[in-house]
């Protein structure tokens, strides 16, 4: 197996500042004597193919240069290789994943206490600072089979996902970015825009086979990490390596209260509102819409996978990730 890092650079991340950051990273990697091969993406989802091809060539250490979306795609490429029938003897724990952050959110690095500095990430690489982390398989289910888990599409999650308002905000942000816009307030603007036109859906939510929600639910969040949406903590007690997925369910509330809740999400104290916010942990979660509400998007690591119903399962193996954590949180 190759000892080099395979580095996948997304030149479209960070509103066009990727190449400037990458030049700095390239110089630092050379100065620290870290062997690497770099490849640039051409379009969306290209990182998935580049990562899968690199794994097939024997690379086991992969680094994304971009935002949370690029990290998500590189993970997808690793999982595409690992889960291929011909690679049944390959284990996920052979692989190391990391990110040199450039994007607008950079939420995954917050959980791992990685500073948004190229030099800090390169130092962690040079020191071999890694920890094990869980991975979640997220599957869109066939809505025509209401009591069967018939999978229509899947991907893998390394940070946070959601259904409801959270996912609608994510979809809004992605559309803005596709038009070449963005900026530090993109999530805030999306929050107020989507809140103004939002109508609370209803769901059934099952955690390890037990129904924990049956009715109106303002929003749902699922987390291995603590942060999403540029620093909001919807799953503030999530532990990345405990083999469990944290689930936060928000009951219907008045919209002015939601604005206050948005501020509280930044503090990590949202679970203190026990009458309106409920937290669960499980290895497997299934969310099914109730009534005629069948168009709720599902967000995974900042990307829209499809529409509910959705199933989330902890993958049986963990991956190594570049991290500043010294011990388990």
């Amino acid at each position: 197996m190759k000892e080099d890092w395979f580095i996948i650079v997304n030149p479209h991340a960070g509103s066009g500042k990727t190449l400037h950051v990458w030049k700095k990273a390239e110089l630092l990697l050379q100065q620290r004597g870290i062997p690497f091969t770099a490849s640039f993406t051409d379009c969306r989802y290209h990182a998935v193919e580049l990562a899968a091809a690199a794994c097939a060539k024997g690379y086991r250490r992969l680094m994304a240069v971009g935002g949370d979306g690029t990290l998500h795609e590189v993970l997808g490429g690793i999982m595409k290789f690992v889960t291929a029938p011909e690679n049944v003897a390959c284990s996920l724990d052979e692989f190391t994943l990391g990110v040199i952050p450039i994007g607008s959110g950079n939420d995954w690095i917050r959980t791992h206490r990685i500073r948004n500095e190229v030099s800090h990430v390169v130092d962690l690489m040079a020191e071999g600072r890694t920890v094990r982390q869980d991975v979640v398989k997220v599957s869109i289910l066939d809505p025509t089979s209401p009591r069967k888990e018939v999978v229509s599409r899947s991907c893998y999650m390394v940070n946070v996902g959601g259904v409801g308002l959270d996912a609608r905000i994510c979809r809004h942000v992605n559309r803005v970015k596709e038009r070449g816009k963005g900026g530090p307030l993109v999530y805030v603007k999306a929050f107020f825009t989507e809140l103004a036109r939002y109508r609370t859906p209803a769901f059934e939510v099952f955690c390890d086979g037990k129904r924990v929600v049956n009715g109106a639910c303002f929003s749902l969040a699922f987390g291995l990490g603590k942060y999403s949406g540029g620093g909001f903590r919807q799953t503030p007690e999530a532990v990345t390596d405990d083999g469990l997925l944290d689930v936060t369910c928000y009951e219907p509330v008045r919209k002015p209260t939601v604005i206050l809740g948005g501020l509280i999400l930044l503090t990590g104290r949202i679970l203190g509102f026990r009458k309106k916010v409920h937290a669960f942990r499980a290895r497997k979660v299934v969310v099914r819409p109730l009534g005629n509400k069948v168009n709720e998007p599902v967000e995974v690591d900042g990307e829209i996978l499809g529409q509910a119903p959705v199933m989330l399962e902890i993958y049986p193996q963990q991956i190594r990730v570049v991290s500043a954590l010294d011990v388990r949180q």
Side-chain angles (χ1 to χ4, degrees), residues 119-318:
S119 59
H120 186 220
V121 179
V122 173
D123 286 345
L124 295 174
M125 294 169 68
E127 296 165 11
R129 293 276 297 277
T130 65
V131 297
R132 294 183 183 274
Q133 173 172 329
D134 295 320
V135 171
V136 172
K137 183 179 181 179
V138 185
S139 302
I140 299 298
L141 302 179
D142 183 356
T144 64
S145 303
R147 295 301 166 192
K148 295 181 180 180
E149 295 168 354
V150 180
V151 176
S152 61
R153 185 183 179 192
S154 296
C155 75
Y156 293 87
M157 185 177 88
V158 74
N159 190 35
V160 175
V163 181
L165 181 63
D166 170 78
R168 287 178 175 265
I169 292 171
C170 174
R171 184 174 62 184
H172 184 111
V173 168
N174 289 348
R175 287 173 176 172
V176 170
K177 290 181 179 179
E178 286 171 2
R179 296 196 299 267
K181 301 179 181 179
L185 297 178
V186 62
Y187 288 100
V188 176
K189 293 176 181 177
F191 172 80
F192 283 104
T193 300
E194 292 299 327
L195 178 63
R197 58 193 180 197
Y198 189 60
R199 299 294 180 269
T200 301
F203 299 106
E204 277 186 312
V205 181
F206 297 85
C207 288
D208 290 334
K210 179 182 178 181
R211 188 166 64 184
V212 297
V213 175
N214 184 34
C217 182
F218 194 81
S219 196
L220 286 162
F222 320 101
L224 293 173
K226 302 175 187 292
Y227 300 88
S228 63
F232 291 99
R233 283 183 267 182
Q234 295 199 75
T235 51
E237 296 181 358
V239 178
T240 58
D241 65 348
D242 64 352
L244 296 169
L245 180 66
D246 276 39
V247 181
T248 304
C249 172
Y250 302 87
E251 288 192 11
V253 293
R254 297 174 58 199
K255 290 184 177 180
T257 305
V258 177
I259 296 173
L260 174 61
L263 297 174
I264 296 171
L265 281 171
L266 291 169
T267 70
R269 299 176 182 175
I270 196 67
L271 300 185
F273 293 85
R274 299 187 183 277
K275 291 184 178 181
K276 289 293 184 180
V277 181
H278 308 285
F280 311 95
R281 280 191 174 131
R283 293 190 61 83
K284 178 180 177 180
V285 179
V286 177
V287 179
R288 297 186 182 277
L290 292 173
N292 297 322
K293 198 73 171 178
V294 294
N295 62 344
E296 285 301 320
V298 175
E299 173 256 326
V300 181
D301 289 342
E303 302 294 326
I304 300 298
L305 176 62
Q307 296 178 342
V310 62
M311 175 173 64
L312 303 96
E313 305 169 279
I314 295 287
Y315 192 75
Q317 300 167 353
Q318 294 179 318

Side-chain angles (χ1 to χ4, degrees), residues 10 13-14 64-76 97 99-111 156 158-160 177 187 227-231 299-303:
N10 178 4
V65 180
D68 292 327
T70 310
L71 177 71
H72 173 75
E73 288 192 22
V74 174
L75 171 70
L97 175 67
V99 62
I100 295 175
I102 296 175
S104 56
N106 296 325
D107 288 300
W108 182 79
I109 65 171
R110 301 173 197 262
T111 296
Y156 293 87
V158 74
N159 190 35
V160 175
K177 290 181 179 179
Y187 288 100
Y227 300 88
S228 63
E299 173 256 326
V300 181
D301 289 342
E303 302 294 326

